[in-house]
Amino acid sequence: MSEKTPVKAQESSSFPLVILAAVVVAAMVLIFFSGSSRIDRSAIGTDGLALWLKREGIAIEPSAPEEVRGEKTPILRLLPLYDTDLTVGRGETKELEAGSPAATLRNLSLDTFRAKIGNADTLVVLPKWRSDMVTSGTATPEVLIPTGQLTIFGLWRGPSVRSAGEDFVVSPIIDSRTGEAMDGEAALYAPRVLSDVVDEACAPLLTLGDKGTLLARCEDIWGEGDSFYMLSDPDLLDNHGLANGDNARLAPAVIGKLAEGRPVYIDNTTYANITDTSGLDPRERSLADLGRFFEYPFSLLWISIVVTAGLALWRGSRRFGSPVGEADTVDMASKTRTIAASARLLRFSGDQDDLVFAYVDARMDTLDAAVLGPSRRPMTAPETMAQIMTRVRRRVPETGERLAQTYDAVAKTGLDSHQRLAALIPFEKAVQETLDAFGHASRPS
């Protein structure tokens, strides 16, 4: 028992490390599957908007809905952009923004963007802030993206937005079609409105007072029927903007009017989660399809297979008889009877010592494999015995001493059969202790 105590102590000391590792892994998995990135939780993110819209009674899709290419998904997709130019790839963006705070925080390709807006009504929210805003959370002129850098779709010569003020601007939001002001005033820092070139291509819906277009509807600007809503300033909807002025009252009013009772999905992904079913068979499958394989003329095939199989089984049973038992069971019984008969013959002939020596040699071979291992160098039997005793004494001195004494007792000359058999019991006990010490718990069969 004293020999196994250090092992138990080691196991108990490693238990807290195992618990700590499990906690760390669980935390990493929770963070990975939480579905909310650092940007979405920051001042310019939209996690707060999702909670606020839900509180205001607007249905929110918590995860990406199932979408099929060519079928309009019954949602309003809110797509906040963090990419200044969708026509520029990731590598080019890094080169353009090298040495300055990043303006493209989440790279989105134009093809993915068009797939998203083509499959559901989409409110596109243009970017406004550099990466410094994510870390500091403080609105200053230095963390604004220059208006000239916002080309977005690459369709127009010049920027997509223009500045409508340099500090906080408090202004009503006016419906361009009716001229009526919405309830409350928007408070935006260095507000952005759509540029004149965008106003020519998109129909204004809401304006920021008399400063310019805040929300527009862009119809078929690529000539393929794609249309979407575009919001020039994200601070009306993002986490820090909702706390300013009457933005928290205006945001649900704007989004609720565009959603028209449909759920809102805030899409922060950079891929199109859309299934293409154009190559699939639209017909439904049922068990009736399987039943056709048993109708005429297939029924004749099945009947012939059953008749042929029955004839084969009947002919096989008549020719070869009933199946015999497993060969392994017969062989094992034969070996057992052979061993028993050999032992009985040795006892009748008075050669029980030979039987004991054969058993001792077999046990020493077992110790050879357990203690020295299969990769030892070739040695004679006495050398092997000496190496076993040396190795066991070095690992477990008490067991090694008992093994040596019991081996000498059972192998020494001048003993009668009863004495040798009596000496075999402590020898076997010492062998078992040695096997246990070297990690082998096999018992003689």
Side-chain angles (χ1 to χ4, degrees):
M1 297 296 292
S2 60
E3 297 171 357
K4 296 183 180 180
T5 301
V7 177
K8 291 183 178 179
Q10 184 179 1
E11 291 177 355
S12 62
S13 64
S14 63
F15 184 72
L17 296 177
V18 174
I19 295 298
L20 180 60
V23 171
V24 171
V25 171
M28 292 177 65
V29 171
L30 182 62
I31 292 173
F32 182 79
F33 289 104
S34 64
S36 180
S37 70
R38 184 184 181 189
I39 298 175
D40 304 327
R41 297 191 301 269
S42 69
I44 63 175
T46 53
D47 277 2
L49 176 65
L51 297 174
W52 181 247
L53 292 179
K54 190 174 182 180
R55 180 179 174 181
E56 291 296 303
I58 298 177
I60 298 295
E61 285 282 352
S63 58
E66 294 185 1
E67 299 189 63
V68 178
R69 190 177 302 278
E71 298 179 9
K72 279 288 185 180
T73 308
I75 60 171
L76 173 67
R77 188 195 311 276
L78 199 153
L79 183 61
L81 295 182
Y82 301 95
D83 192 340
T84 59
D85 190 347
L86 304 183
T87 63
V88 176
R90 189 182 304 273
E92 297 173 278
T93 300
K94 291 182 179 180
E95 293 180 4
L96 293 173
E97 297 179 354
S100 62
T104 297
L105 307 182
R106 185 177 285 157
N107 198 280
L108 182 70
S109 70
L110 183 59
D111 290 339
T112 302
F113 172 81
R114 294 187 59 182
K116 289 176 181 290
I117 66 171
N119 226 63
D121 281 344
T122 304
L123 171 58
V124 178
V125 183
L126 299 183
K128 180 178 178 179
W129 303 99
R130 295 178 186 265
S131 57
D132 287 355
M133 186 62 170
V134 177
T135 55
S136 67
T138 304
T140 60
E142 291 75 18
V143 297
L144 288 168
I145 300 174
T147 56
Q149 195 172 345
L150 285 168
T151 55
I152 307 296
F153 314 117
L155 290 174
W156 305 292
R157 294 181 180 178
S160 302
V161 298
R162 59 182 174 85
S163 177
E166 297 181 353
D167 204 341
F168 266 103
V169 173
V170 178
S171 173
I173 296 180
I174 300 174
D175 190 322
S176 300
R177 294 162 294 186
T178 63
E180 297 179 357
M182 298 184 66
D183 185 17
E185 292 185 324
L188 306 173
Y189 180 82
R192 305 287 176 88
V193 293
L194 295 179
S195 63
D196 295 338
V197 68
V198 178
D199 280 341
E200 294 176 2
C202 303
L205 298 180
L206 299 175
T207 61
L208 187 65
D210 57 355
K211 302 181 184 302
T213 302
L214 184 67
L215 178 70
R217 175 73 173 180
C218 299
E219 298 279 355
D220 198 18
I221 60 175
W222 284 284
E224 296 180 4
D226 295 335
S227 59
F228 57 94
Y229 300 100
M230 184 159 56
L231 182 67
S232 61
D233 197 306
D235 288 350
L236 184 66
L237 307 177
D238 58 24
N239 293 335
H240 87 96
L242 288 174
N244 299 326
D246 297 323
N247 295 352
R249 185 192 310 170
L250 294 168
V254 173
I255 294 176
K257 191 172 183 180
L258 298 180
E260 298 178 338
R262 296 168 297 180
V264 176
Y265 169 52
I266 302 177
D267 191 349
N268 289 305
T269 64
T270 56
Y271 55 87
N273 187 33
I274 302 171
T275 304
D276 189 354
T277 60
S278 58
L280 301 179
D281 190 347
R283 294 175 297 177
E284 295 183 359
R285 299 299 183 184
S286 65
L287 291 177
D289 298 325
L290 182 61
R292 291 202 297 267
F293 285 97
F294 296 95
E295 297 176 356
Y296 181 84
F298 294 108
S299 57
L300 299 179
L301 174 63
W302 296 118
I303 292 173
S304 63
I305 290 175
V306 171
V307 172
T308 302
L311 287 174
L313 292 173
W314 173 79
R315 181 57 182 165
S317 63
R318 295 285 295 176
R319 181 172 181 178
F320 301 107
S322 60
V324 298
E326 295 184 1
D328 294 342
T329 304
V330 177
D331 292 344
M332 185 58 69
S334 176
K335 291 178 181 179
T336 304
R337 288 194 294 269
T338 301
I339 294 172
S342 300
R344 188 177 182 187
L345 288 174
L346 287 171
R347 286 195 296 272
F348 283 157
S349 63
D351 290 334
Q352 294 189 27
D353 288 348
D354 293 341
L355 186 60
V356 173
F357 289 143
Y359 180 82
V360 171
D361 291 341
R363 299 305 280 161
M364 294 309 295
D365 288 341
T366 302
L367 288 179
D368 181 12
V371 176
L372 301 183
S375 61
R376 64 173 178 80
R377 61 183 177 83
M379 293 183 292
T380 62
E383 290 175 341
T384 302
M385 187 64 62
Q387 286 288 333
I388 291 174
M389 296 302 178
T390 301
R391 187 73 61 84
V392 176
R393 282 193 178 100
R394 188 180 304 148
R395 173 78 67 89
V396 277
E398 295 179 2
T399 302
E401 190 63 31
R402 281 195 295 272
L403 179 63
Q405 292 176 359
T406 55
Y407 176 78
D408 292 339
V410 78
K412 70 180 179 179
T413 58
L415 298 178
D416 59 25
S417 298
H418 294 289
Q419 292 174 331
R420 202 174 300 281
L421 288 173
L424 191 61
I425 296 175
F427 169 74
E428 175 59 29
K429 184 178 179 181
V431 169
Q432 293 297 338
E433 291 180 3
T434 304
L435 290 174
D436 291 341
F438 281 82
H440 293 265
S442 59
R443 297 290 190 271
S445 58

